[in-house]
Amino acid sequence: MNRFVFADPNMCIGCRTCEIACVVSHQVDGKLDGVSPEAFAPRLTLVKNVHVTTPVMCRQCDDAPCAQVCPNNAIVLEDGYVKVIQSRCIGCKTCVIACPYGAMNVVTTMVEESKGGSLFNRMAPKSQALKCDLCAHREAGPACVEVCPTSAIQLIKPETLSETSKQKREAAALNAAVASFR
Amino acid sequence: MSNAITEIQQAKCLLIFGYNAADSHPVVARHILKARANGAKIIVCDPRKIESARIADQWLPLNNGSNMALVNAIANVIIEEDLYDKAFVQNNTEGFDAFREIASHYTPESVEQVTGLKAADIRLAARTYAAASEAMILWGMGVTQYGQAVDVVRGLAGLALLTGNFGRPGVGCGPVRGQNNVQGTCDMGMLPHQFPGYQSVADDVIRDKFEKAWGVTLSGTPGYRLTEVGHKADEGICKAFYIFGEDPAQTEADLAAMRATMRKMELVIVQDIFMTQTAEFADVIFPATSWGEHEGVYSSADRGFQRFYKAVNPSGDVKPDWEIFSLLATRMGYPMSYSNTEEIWDELRALAPLYAGVTYEKMADLKSVQWPCPTEDHPGTSYLFEGNKFSTPSGKGIFIGAEWRPPLEQPDSDYPLVLSTVREVGHYSCRSMTGNCSALQTLADEPGYVQMHPDDAKALGIDDQQLVWVSSRRGKVISRANYNDRVNKGVVYMTYQWWIGACNELTIEHVDPISSTPEFKYCAVKVEHIDDQAWAENYVQTEYSSLKARLKSHVANA
């Protein structure tokens, strides 16, 4: 089972620190100076409506729809998470359609493309399918988990799930005892 | 606050009144969540479905401006249903009969119209609060930024007195202050009637002490509050205005009046870290260091003194505030010199008995010392009024009741909506600091937002995210409509840090008679659709660019 980042809506206060931490974590130099609004692309998004406040992000689906539909095999299951090989991304956005969580974001920027001498330089579109990568480049793990002021965001590991399921079964067993049929 | 912020977690009931911790103080919001996890009942009184309301056991979405009526109704239930702590009231308080008399007129049924709440809901909240063994009240600007503010504070304190919720851990009253170190400015004598340490300027003995220490003659007459300055300028009494670390041209109610006040001054000195709109009015600007460039002491809302340390060396021609004051005093004929902030601090604690025992050493690193701390071997005071001894002449807690007064400017056919000014988590205060942070700019930028209930917006033909005009009898600004299901109909909400969409162009200078704080939370406005959105977007960008260019040119030409 893949690990994934998950937020508890009962703990979230909607501060968006996670969004900023995500962008910082994915800057080459780890700095935010000069990040343009276009380049500001957090891989998790705070949803705040009348009922709920919580960031939504990739679940690292074990049988990931985004990976299944990618026509260029740019999305793979590797290193325990669903990884995008950006060099293969063609910006077709099929993964965006496939993702049931709205957690995929295709960002296209114009980059200088050189074919030989500078005479032939031209601006060409370059697409990237951006999603949560569990901050694989970071030793300390996902930045959002680290910065959340209420500890609402957690990295869920297989053992976390089995432990909470065990606790729920214990509670359910107790309830069953109380609510016995006779 | 009577009790420490950390004691929030010990409370069994939190009555949160006009206070949006998630947007104003995320750290306090964390304590509220912990209290809830520990089993505390949470009651939130707020017109908007703020984050705390979302997780509360009970949310009372009261009408804007009905605070006093609700507080009186809660008192009514606690008294008439015999839920109050009679022994506590008998032994430790004064003024109960008069308080009871006023509250008796406010049955929950009688305030349904004014508060917009069902009587049964008010009763339930009152019972929950009264039943808790430890109950704490937290309030914020939703109480204090009304024309009737101090009365409501006294009413809330009355609820705590009724239920004996003082003098123990996890109880009491928590006015969670509006900004970092607001508590500190009060602690340090920025109030016009007090010397540092809450010592009255009118008290001869106290004045004599300060006169001897400083070698000068001091006035025993209280000074003026910020909201009085304009009127004193009109009368020709106030001639100079020295502003430091404040941007009144952005943050005061009715900005046009504030600008007129500054123009009337013969001399305006502004001491700040960035070029602000207030600084534009200055005859003299003293560029100062920012919080990371100097050391000092902050007071948190719960009376805790905390040292902060210099992190980086300042760049440019800037000085710490205390050095600027010393230089100015010296030039004015009063030689003042300190070699560091600890010398200033030691002078302060020698003159202020409340802080006498708070040494720099005790605050070292990340430690906090809460006043009162009378001696150096005293650990500080986590909660006030231990043994139910209050800081009044008689030592008893005093009930002070008040009748409800409606806010001043009611909506009418010309200005049919109510405007309330609020906070957002991503930008701090007047935005002179956070406005210079690119990430925060990306999350929200000029001209800011006007939060509207979708039904109100649709009735005006306004789409989500469209630019709109918002106007009051005092001014007109452009803003961006934000469809928001969490706000009540008939009221719109704006945050006060935007330059182009500056909501304080609209607010009214109707002040509380005691605190002199304006009614930032209530004035009448209208919102108008803009047909040509492309023009409007361009207008915002042009206005913002030209304002920035103007401020920059002041610096370049200085």
Side-chain angles (χ1 to χ4, degrees):
Chain A
M1 192 202 95
N2 292 334
R3 298 173 305 157
F4 61 102
V5 174
F6 190 69
D8 178 353
N10 289 324
M11 299 292 286
C12 177
I13 59 168
C15 68
R16 302 177 78 182
T17 310
C18 50
E19 291 187 4
I20 293 184
C22 182
V23 175
V24 173
S25 169
H26 292 93
Q27 297 306 305
V28 177
D29 54 359
K31 284 185 182 168
L32 265 181
D33 304 352
V35 173
S36 65
E38 296 76 39
F40 189 92
R43 289 135 193 253
L44 75 181
T45 311
L46 183 82
V47 173
K48 185 169 174 171
N49 60 34
V50 70
H51 302 296
V52 73
T53 302
T54 192
V56 173
M57 70 289 277
C58 173
R59 292 284 162 81
Q60 315 293 349
C61 307
D62 289 273
D63 184 9
C66 56
Q68 288 174 27
V69 298
C70 180
N72 210 29
N73 294 326
I75 307 178
V76 295
L77 188 69
E78 213 174 271
D79 303 331
Y81 71 99
V82 178
K83 186 193 276 185
V84 182
I85 301 165
Q86 300 296 357
S87 60
R88 289 189 195 161
C89 178
I90 57 172
C92 72
K93 299 166 286 285
T94 315
C95 55
V96 180
I97 293 169
C99 176
Y101 293 101
M104 187 64 90
N105 186 19
V106 171
V107 174
T108 303
T109 48
M110 298 302 284
V111 294
E112 201 166 301
E113 192 184 67
S114 178
K115 288 189 173 148
S118 60
L119 183 63
F120 300 104
N121 280 5
R122 65 176 190 114
M123 295 305 281
K126 172 74 193 103
S127 291
Q128 288 194 308
L130 299 181
K131 63 177 284 297
C132 172
D133 54 8
L134 301 179
C135 287
H137 53 281
R138 251 177 129 253
E139 247 178 60
C144 54
V145 174
E146 202 172 291
V147 299
C148 179
T150 58
S151 309
I153 308 180
Q154 294 196 7
L155 181 65
I156 311 278
K157 301 169 190 159
E159 52 270 32
T160 325
L161 272 190
S162 54
E163 179 54 32
T164 50
S165 292
K166 186 171 163 243
Q167 284 170 8
K168 283 178 195 166
R169 281 193 296 270
E170 300 279 347
L174 274 178
N175 285 339
V178 171
S180 71
F181 293 105
R182 54 190 133 182
Chain B
M1 293 174 67
S2 67
N3 292 58
I5 288 170
T6 48
E7 290 180 30
I8 290 172
Q9 295 188 24
Q10 292 167 256
K12 300 288 184 289
C13 172
L14 291 176
L15 176 59
I16 302 173
F17 207 113
Y19 172 50
N20 184 359
D23 275 1
S24 310
H25 310 106
V27 174
V28 180
R30 184 189 171 98
H31 288 287
I32 293 172
L33 287 171
K34 288 246 170 100
R36 180 175 172 271
N38 293 342
K41 296 276 182 198
I42 313 273
I43 305 164
V44 172
C45 307
D46 203 294
R48 293 188 299 163
K49 192 173 182 182
I50 56 172
E51 295 302 335
S52 313
R54 195 168 62 79
I55 55 123
D57 293 275
Q58 205 189 351
W59 169 42
L60 297 179
L62 77 169
N63 287 338
N64 306 61
S66 67
N67 290 348
M68 193 74 241
L70 176 57
V71 171
N72 282 344
I74 294 173
N76 178 290
V77 175
I78 293 174
I79 297 170
E80 301 310 326
E81 294 191 4
D82 220 18
L83 307 172
Y84 66 103
D85 184 337
K86 281 174 217 71
F88 187 92
V89 170
Q90 177 73 33
N91 298 331
N92 305 308
T93 69
E94 288 171 359
F96 174 67
D97 291 337
F99 185 77
R100 175 180 202 156
E101 163 62 18
I102 290 173
S104 70
H105 308 148
Y106 290 83
T107 61
E109 290 71 21
S110 71
V111 300
E112 282 193 337
Q113 185 78 25
V114 167
T115 61
L117 300 170
K118 290 199 185 72
D121 291 339
I122 299 174
R123 287 190 185 279
L124 176 64
R127 289 169 192 156
T128 308
Y129 174 75
S133 54
E134 277 87 29
M136 189 188 279
I137 307 175
L138 299 173
W139 70 79
M141 306 300 111
V143 165
T144 57
Q145 291 185 339
Y146 272 109
Q148 183 172 31
V150 175
D151 286 347
V152 180
V153 168
R154 288 168 169 169
L156 289 166
L159 299 182
L161 283 176
L162 276 179
T163 50
N165 275 308
F166 273 121
R168 291 178 284 135
V171 298
C173 286
V176 198
R177 310 300 301 256
Q179 291 158 42
N180 173 43
N181 214 26
V182 170
Q183 184 68 41
T185 61
C186 298
D187 290 353
M188 295 304 123
M190 289 294 278
L191 295 168
H193 61 298
Q194 284 169 338
F195 291 121
Y198 302 92
Q199 303 177 81
S200 171
V201 297
D203 185 316
D204 291 341
V205 177
I206 286 167
R207 211 169 53 250
D208 188 53
K209 174 175 74 174
F210 280 94
E211 287 182 343
K212 283 208 177 95
W214 292 340
V216 288
T217 310
L218 296 166
S219 166
T221 314
Y224 309 127
R225 290 169 191 274
L226 180 53
T227 41
E228 292 171 281
V229 167
H231 310 289
K232 296 297 170 192
D234 287 340
E235 293 163 28
I237 295 171
C238 274
K239 295 190 167 66
F241 202 175
Y242 189 161
I243 302 159
F244 84 103
E246 176 100 2
D247 189 4
Q250 181 70 33
T251 59
E252 275 308 296
D254 192 357
L255 293 179
M258 190 69 215
R259 289 190 291 267
T261 296
M262 288 203 272
R263 284 193 199 98
K264 272 177 219 145
M265 294 289 174
E266 288 173 19
L267 172 68
V268 176
I269 303 172
V270 172
Q271 186 166 315
D272 213 319
I273 61 173
F274 288 119
M275 187 69 205
T276 63
Q277 291 171 90
T278 301
E280 261 200 299
F281 289 92
D283 300 290
V284 181
I285 295 177
F286 293 143
T289 48
S290 74
W291 59 269
E293 296 169 328
H294 58 229
E295 56 166 19
V297 177
Y298 287 139
S299 303
S300 61
D302 62 0
R303 301 168 280 106
F305 289 126
Q306 292 171 301
R307 264 175 83 182
F308 64 98
Y309 296 82
K310 180 175 157 174
V312 293
N313 284 321
S315 59
D317 184 18
V318 292
K319 285 187 167 52
D321 290 315
W322 63 269
E323 278 189 47
I324 298 173
F325 296 139
S326 295
L327 288 169
L328 189 68
T330 306
R331 291 289 183 92
M332 289 170 72
Y334 180 85
M336 186 189 282
S337 95
Y338 299 96
S339 41
N340 53 48
T341 60
E342 187 172 4
E343 275 185 31
I344 303 171
W345 185 260
D346 286 341
E347 177 183 319
L348 166 85
R349 62 191 187 95
L351 288 165
L354 278 179
Y355 321 143
V358 189
T359 60
Y360 253 42
E361 202 184 352
K362 277 164 80 175
M363 291 185 282
D365 301 324
L366 297 173
K367 288 199 275 292
S368 156
V369 182
Q370 288 172 282
W371 62 260
C373 179
T375 54
E376 291 193 11
D377 56 4
H378 191 287
T381 307
S382 185
Y383 57 90
L384 298 175
F385 319 131
E386 188 164 12
N388 302 323
K389 288 191 178 54
F390 293 91
S391 49
T392 52
S394 63
K396 294 186 186 258
I398 301 173
F399 282 105
I400 305 175
E403 303 283 351
W404 171 71
R405 290 197 306 270
L408 182 70
E409 194 181 53
Q410 294 296 329
D412 55 22
S413 53
D414 290 337
Y415 297 94
L417 296 165
V418 171
L419 167 69
S420 179
T421 69
V422 293
R423 306 288 180 270
E424 73 177 62
V425 67
H427 281 291
Y428 175 65
S429 194
C430 62
R431 202 172 57 116
S432 63
M433 290 188 288
T434 53
N436 287 296
C437 171
S438 57
L440 298 177
Q441 261 176 341
T442 310
L443 292 184
D445 205 1
E446 295 284 353
Y449 297 94
V450 51
Q451 303 171 16
M452 303 180 78
H453 191 280
D455 291 353
D456 284 340
K458 284 174 193 158
L460 295 164
I462 293 164
D463 289 339
D464 190 24
Q465 302 299 314
Q466 268 190 337
L467 291 167
V468 293
W469 288 116
V470 190
S471 45
S472 75
R473 290 183 176 83
R474 292 155 295 282
K476 180 177 181 181
V477 296
I478 199 164
S479 187
R480 198 178 293 282
N482 164 225
Y483 275 27
N484 195 319
D485 286 311
R486 292 190 180 191
V487 310
N488 45 334
K489 284 184 204 172
V491 186
V492 299
Y493 296 83
M494 295 172 80
T495 55
Y496 74 138
Q497 76 274 30
W498 304 108
W499 286 0
I500 304 304
C503 62
N504 281 323
E505 299 287 352
L506 315 172
T507 47
I508 189 166
E509 203 214 86
H510 167 56
V511 299
D512 179 90
I514 299 167
S515 69
S516 299
T517 299
E519 193 153 70
F520 286 106
K521 297 288 184 196
Y522 205 101
C523 72
V525 297
K526 66 178 166 192
V527 179
E528 290 168 290
H529 179 259
I530 300 176
D531 291 332
D532 192 344
Q533 285 291 313
W535 170 86
E537 294 287 353
N538 189 44
Y539 170 81
V540 169
Q541 286 313 317
T542 318
E543 289 290 299
Y544 188 30
S545 304
S546 70
L547 177 56
K548 281 193 289 191
R550 206 173 75 219
L551 293 179
K552 265 187 191 158
S553 77
H554 287 303
V555 178
N557 300 333

